[in-house]
Amino acid sequence: MLLFLQKLIAGFIRLLFGDPNQRELKRVWPVVHKVTALEPRMHALTDEQLRAYTDEFKKRLADGESLESILPEAFAVVREVAIRTIKMRHYDVQILGGIILHEGKIAEMSTGEGKTLVATLSAYLNGLTGKGVHIVTVNDYLARRDRAWMGPVFEFLGLTVGCIQTDMSAEERQAQYGCDITYGTNNEFGFDYLRDNMKDSAKTQVQRSRCYAILDEVDNILVDEARTPLIISGSADESVEKYYLCNKVGKMLSPGVDFKVNEKDHTCGLNEKGIEKAERILGVGDLFSGTNIDMMHYIDNALRAHHLYQADRDYIVQEGQVVIVDEFTGRLMSGRRWSDGLHQAVEAKEGLKIKRENQTLATITFQNFFKLYGKIAGMTGTAATEALEFERIYKLSVVVIPTNKPCIRDDQADLIYGTAEEKWRAVTDDIVEKHKIGRPILVGTTSIAKSEMLSERLKRLGIKHEVLNAKYHEREAAIIAQAGQMSSVTIATNMAGRGTDIVLGQGVTAIGGLHVLGTERHEARRIDNQLRGRCGRQGDPGSSRFYLSLEDDLMRIFASEAVANLMKKIGLKNGQPIESRMVSRVIEMSQKKREEHNFDIRKWLTEYDTVMNEQRTLIYGQRQAILEERDIDTILWEMFEEVVENAVERYVNDDTKEYDYDGLVGWVTQKFNLEVNASLLKGKRPEDAYDIIIGWVKELLDRRRTDIGVSTFGVYSKYLMLLMLDGKWKDHLLAMDQLREAVGFRGYGQRDPLIEYKREGYQMFSEMVGAVKEEVTGRLFYIRTVDEEAQAKLRDRWSIDKAIHEEYSAVDNLGTNKGEGGKPVVRQVKHDGPQTGRNDLCPCGSGKKYKKCHGR
């Protein structure tokens, strides 16, 4: 409702003050004309003279000149270099798009308008700063392709170009991030950030900064992917038998009788009858008491797995694994797993071996990750429908860039049929008709199963065709390259809508160009627009039409009753379609409702993650300071001051009139491994007791530094702080996950779950930080003197991710680790640690003897 009101207000403002997009274009066009006016001058220069501009621009920037002042010349240089290296010239509208990107906005450009080339303009300009530019794509193939395609432009001008790929080592990534321009995917950039904040040495971190990012297909990254956070996780010790058990229970319960399926909210909920039946099947007295209380969660997941998640639509089974299919692109999301036990429930449904749930070790949403950049910009063919969301969440305004040539595509009205079978017959007839005259046809389907069903129909009719879906994605480039040729028929899932450009073959323009045929409406209008945008590029002819039925998911859930009533009034017979702009508007309104619902989910996720983001920023900031050995002594000393102050307040407090001097002495003795004279503290005021204890601590610290060496003490302090910080942070993430699940029930008590989450989350975070300080200050004085060889082992082997921690590999969203061959694997390793006498204290700082700690 809020989003609807915002759009209403925006429309009213547009009526009063005119179209803001036109005002924005009018403001920028004079800069475009400056760039164009420089073209003859640049054309007359030699290659060496053009190259020399890079050094000149860098000098001018160093002398205090702004990027904006050199923009016209820089863009003119890039335009000329592109002509000489890759035989492509930037159109004026592409120059316009480049200016919008430099200003940190979203440029909406239609399919075929050359967004990849547009990015070279602002990337070069911002790359001159030497701080690095990240160009973000939606998959590895596009990152690789775009780097190879556009790289010669940057390299001609003396800038270095890198590309991040999934299978790269840390050393390779470091080199790629060191380049002036780096291509890569949103997932890789995000996961590298999380991985860097789990490293034990600043030297092994791969990212150097997050200065400027250009997001290709920005709506896919910041809207479609925004509901799925990036998570690095490790194995949790938990039995998987409960998933198989609850799967059996789920199969014995009946929809509509024992539980309700809510397709709008994507949930399943047991009713009273269903709860009683589940209790009988499980042989438990009460599902809401004692150790049984978590069984409801597993039963709900089993029901969702069976009734809301379909094979060959939401996932496929491949090599004994459940592989998720991206609902927006139709691509396989290898390594990614649904969270909260849902993936395990689907594995149980399919009779597969269940992988254990994972514990979160590091997490961030794309919203908060890209907010870490100093400036971000985006490109897409479809952003205007989400303009308010971009403005509200990311402070990104959308500017619609005009096409280089007028669009003459014929977007025909939807045809709506009563049943799915009638629709598919009509789809087949349309394909046959267009195929007879040789027009290339692109058919968009919403699932793998439907693309293969249509393929079988065409095979029976003897029509040669290609199928492009997640099962055959490796042939994508080859299939798309032929999709615009005479008489070609291509059946594709939504993956045909991203990063691909269908070029028409010889003779096709004369017979009407590419015909795009949609077989179902997607819940997001942008996805439909992406499909339509495959045709009519750069002034080419083309046409598009969507075929729908009342049995389609979107129609059935949102609009079937209204359309069915209209069909009855018109009196249409079986097989006759409705072709009505009014019906199309009803469908569009249904899509808008769904978009608003999805926006609410993303907004909710953002608000909850903001709490975690504030905490993550503090933890990662201090962790980085420790990693870079910045003010370690100051950080350590502040820990001691706070710990001592809290202890004095606890034992000797004028406000509460509690004076437990013996307790305070005992605390000092145990905490710092220090024998003290109790009489020195007894009867002292709190502030005097604090001064005495902190003096002892300072003296002890100085003595320890002298005894074991300043260097060794510094190494040990650093790794001890990192070890405690990482361990407590991991436990805190688990606790926050559990809190997030629990606070939803607070609404029944008339309490706002978000406020409760913020309040309790802050309290838990404070306790976690306090626990880190207690552990570090408590363990630091159990250091023993070791010889030089042992010191070397301490420095070289006892580190955060080698000695005591589990070995964590990067995992995809809510997912598992990847081992050899890309197969998911979670592993835990143990290390022997330095060779130590079994009766000596363990070097890990636990205060325990080695044989009872890591020497077991």
Side-chain angles (χ1 to χ4, degrees), residues 437-452:
I437 62 173
R439 283 190 67 181
I441 304 163
L442 174 66
V443 186
T445 62
T446 57
S447 71
I448 296 169
K450 289 173 182 175
S451 67
E452 294 181 343

Side-chain angles (χ1 to χ4, degrees), residues 40-41 43 59 92 149 225 239 255 261 351 389 424 476 479 623 707 709 839 852:
R41 190 177 103 193
H43 186 66
K59 184 179 183 304
D92 283 358
W149 192 7
E225 293 279 356
S239 171
V261 179
E389 180 171 349
W424 288 111
E476 177 177 355
I479 293 173
R623 194 183 190 283
D707 289 345
N839 288 317
K852 291 186 177 180

Side-chain angles (χ1 to χ4, degrees), residues 74 119 128 151 187 193 218 351 353 388 432 466 480 511 531-532 549 556 617 677 687 690 692 734 748-749 804 832 848:
L128 293 169
N187 280 348
Y193 166 74
V218 63
K353 182 180 179 180
L388 282 171
V432 171
E466 292 280 2
I480 289 297
I511 57 174
L531 182 60
R532 286 192 193 277
S549 83
R556 180 171 48 78
T617 300
N677 188 341
E687 54 268 32
Y690 169 82
I692 292 169
L734 176 61
Y748 294 111
I804 307 171
D832 294 328
K848 299 177 183 179

Side-chain angles (χ1 to χ4, degrees), residues 265 378 425 459 737 856:
D265 296 332
R425 282 202 301 266
K459 285 178 183 176
D737 283 345
R856 289 175 294 187

Side-chain angles (χ1 to χ4, degrees), residues 758-810:
K758 289 180 178 179
R759 181 181 62 80
E760 291 194 31
Y762 174 77
Q763 181 181 344
M764 290 163 57
F765 181 72
S766 299
E767 292 171 356
M768 184 270 294
V769 171
V772 170
K773 295 173 180 177
E774 288 285 349
E775 292 281 357
V776 170
T777 54
R779 295 187 181 197
L780 196 61
F781 290 112
Y782 286 88
I783 304 174
R784 62 187 180 82
T785 304
V786 296
D787 58 26
E788 190 59 39
E789 182 182 355
Q791 287 185 40
K793 289 178 179 177
L794 181 70
R795 286 191 293 268
D796 295 341
R797 297 186 62 187
W798 285 81
S799 60
I800 292 303
D801 46 358
K802 283 178 72 177
I804 307 171
H805 274 199
E806 295 168 321
E807 183 179 295
Y808 303 127
S809 298

Side-chain angles (χ1 to χ4, degrees), residues 90-189:
H90 296 80
Y91 303 128
D92 283 358
V93 290
Q94 290 175 313
I95 300 291
L96 184 67
I99 297 168
I100 296 302
L101 292 182
H102 168 66
E103 292 179 346
K105 299 174 183 176
I106 294 175
E108 179 179 298
M109 303 183 71
S110 299
T111 302
E113 291 296 306
K115 294 187 288 293
T116 307
L117 184 62
V118 170
T120 58
L121 297 163
S122 59
Y124 171 72
L125 179 63
N126 287 269
L128 293 169
T129 64
K131 297 178 181 178
V133 175
H134 294 170
I135 301 181
V136 188
T137 63
V138 293
N139 61 59
D140 273 358
Y141 162 72
L142 291 176
R144 207 165 50 244
R145 183 202 72 177
D146 293 354
R147 186 262 173 263
W149 192 7
M150 299 295 140
V153 176
F154 301 118
E155 290 166 339
F156 181 99
L157 289 165
L159 297 189
T160 53
V161 192
C163 179
I164 303 296
Q165 295 285 283
T166 302
D167 56 356
M168 280 184 172
S169 66
E171 291 76 15
E172 290 172 315
R173 290 171 186 270
Q174 229 174 25
Q176 303 307 306
Y177 280 117
C179 295
D180 297 306
I181 315 290
T182 305
Y183 288 84
T185 67
N186 48 318
N187 280 348
E188 291 305 312
F189 285 126

Side-chain angles (χ1 to χ4, degrees), residues 48-67:
E48 289 71 25
Q49 288 172 323
L50 277 173
R51 287 192 187 96
Y53 262 106
T54 296
D55 290 335
E56 180 188 329
F57 289 148
K58 288 182 177 180
K59 184 179 183 304
R60 286 163 62 180
L61 290 173
D63 291 341
E65 200 167 339
S66 68
L67 288 173

Side-chain angles (χ1 to χ4, degrees), residues 247-447:
N247 180 63
K248 293 177 181 177
V249 174
K251 289 195 290 187
M252 297 171 72
L253 299 174
S254 304
V257 178
D258 301 314
F259 63 92
K260 181 181 179 181
V261 179
N262 188 329
E263 292 187 78
K264 282 188 181 182
D265 296 332
H266 223 55
T267 59
C268 291
L270 287 174
N271 55 30
E272 288 295 329
K273 186 175 180 180
I275 292 170
E276 292 174 2
K277 188 172 179 179
E279 288 171 344
R280 287 197 303 272
I281 297 170
L282 291 170
V284 297
D286 186 357
L287 278 175
F288 293 92
S289 65
T291 57
N292 301 327
I293 195 163
D294 64 339
M295 295 301 287
M296 282 291 293
H297 174 69
Y298 299 113
I299 294 172
D300 284 346
N301 269 344
L303 295 176
R304 290 173 67 200
H306 279 281
H307 299 280
L308 292 171
Y309 289 81
Q310 296 179 20
D312 288 343
R313 185 191 71 182
D314 304 296
Y315 65 90
I316 67 169
V317 177
Q318 188 179 76
E319 298 180 359
Q321 298 179 48
V322 170
V323 183
I324 299 172
V325 175
D326 190 317
E327 64 173 312
F328 297 102
T329 67
R331 299 180 190 275
L332 291 182
M333 304 166 82
S334 298
R336 186 174 294 190
R337 292 173 67 82
W338 287 303
S339 62
D340 208 22
L342 176 60
H343 208 95
Q344 287 81 0
V346 176
E347 288 171 331
K349 165 192 168 183
E350 295 292 342
L352 304 174
K353 182 180 179 180
I354 294 175
K355 294 179 177 61
R356 295 179 186 275
E357 285 193 73
N358 295 304
Q359 180 178 343
T360 299
L361 305 177
T363 178
I364 194 169
T365 59
F366 284 121
Q367 291 104 316
N368 281 316
F369 172 66
F370 284 109
K371 286 178 183 177
L372 295 172
Y373 283 81
K375 178 172 71 175
I376 62 172
M379 309 178 291
T380 182
T382 48
T385 56
E386 315 296 339
L388 282 171
E389 180 171 349
F390 283 123
E391 179 65 43
R392 182 173 177 182
I393 294 181
Y394 304 101
K395 302 295 185 287
L396 285 170
S397 56
V398 176
V399 180
V400 180
I401 307 298
T403 56
N404 183 50
K405 296 179 181 179
C407 179
I408 58 173
R409 183 181 68 229
D410 179 18
D411 293 329
Q412 299 165 2
D414 299 343
L415 293 179
I416 301 101
Y417 291 82
T419 67
E421 178 56 34
E422 292 170 354
K423 177 189 74 173
W424 288 111
R425 282 202 301 266
V427 166
T428 307
D429 291 343
D430 193 4
I431 293 172
V432 171
E433 179 186 338
K434 299 291 190 303
H435 185 65
K436 284 179 180 177
I437 62 173
R439 283 190 67 181
I441 304 163
L442 174 66
V443 186
T445 62
T446 57
S447 71

